[in-house]
Amino acid sequence: FNSLNHDMTLAEFKFIWYMEYSHRMWGRIVGLAYILPAAYFWRRGWLSRPLKGCVLALCGLVCFQGLLGWYMVKSGLEEKPDSYDIPRVSQYRLAAHLGSALVLYSASLWTGLSLLLPRHKLPETHQLLRLRRYAHGTTALIFLTALSGAFVAGLDAGLVYNSFPKMGERWIPDDLLAFSPVLKNIFENPTTVQFDHRILGIASVTAITALYLFSRKIPLPRRTRMAVTSLLAVACMQ
């Protein structure tokens, strides 16, 4: 309020306050929805030894995610006497919070599906191994693209250029490497952050399309083929 939003009304403040409060409470409900049943299953002896390790790891991730969220918000409340910039949370902490949430969600989903669906026993052909490696690489690229989106949000980099595929009148903007040292641009220059996010997004869609086309050449179970097709559909929609 002191630095930027001098004309904010009480009703407007209540709106953003309830948004933040609901997010925190939803996170706590998610934690309880995981930890309480896990403790019950553990006590009843329904968990195998390997699954116990998995449950503990996921429980640790749930707690770490909440701690990281607090650490992220704290960065937006710190006084910066030497800076008159718009108050915002650290883009590094925002990316870490989003990244850990993606890891937690993916690990939970993977664990659940592993218990619900039996693993297909397929012959380990050269093509299948290539498809698996390519799928892992595509996953890593999508994860990196999502993390770069957190840097876009943290720096308000989406407001710098609003044209596509060019950025303004140029394919490569003049201020792409305006910061020194050069490495600093990747994480703190809004132009570079938006440029990288665009490139990663295009690369992700390209990789997913190639994965889909490659999968069409291999005899795969219906469930796997449906997953690859759904991935392509969601990538296009995104």
Side-chain angles (χ1 to χ4, degrees), residues 186-207:
I186 298 174
F187 304 105
E188 299 185 15
N189 184 342
T191 297
T192 312
V193 166
Q194 189 191 126
F195 180 81
D196 291 344
H197 188 59
R198 290 177 180 221
I199 298 300
L200 286 168
I202 293 167
S204 292
V205 173
T206 305

Side-chain angles (χ1 to χ4, degrees), residues 1 8-20:
F1 182 85
M8 178 178 281
T9 64
L10 182 60
E12 290 171 333
F13 173 76
K14 284 182 176 181
F15 175 76
I16 64 168
W17 189 90
Y18 278 117
M19 287 284 286
E20 175 68 19

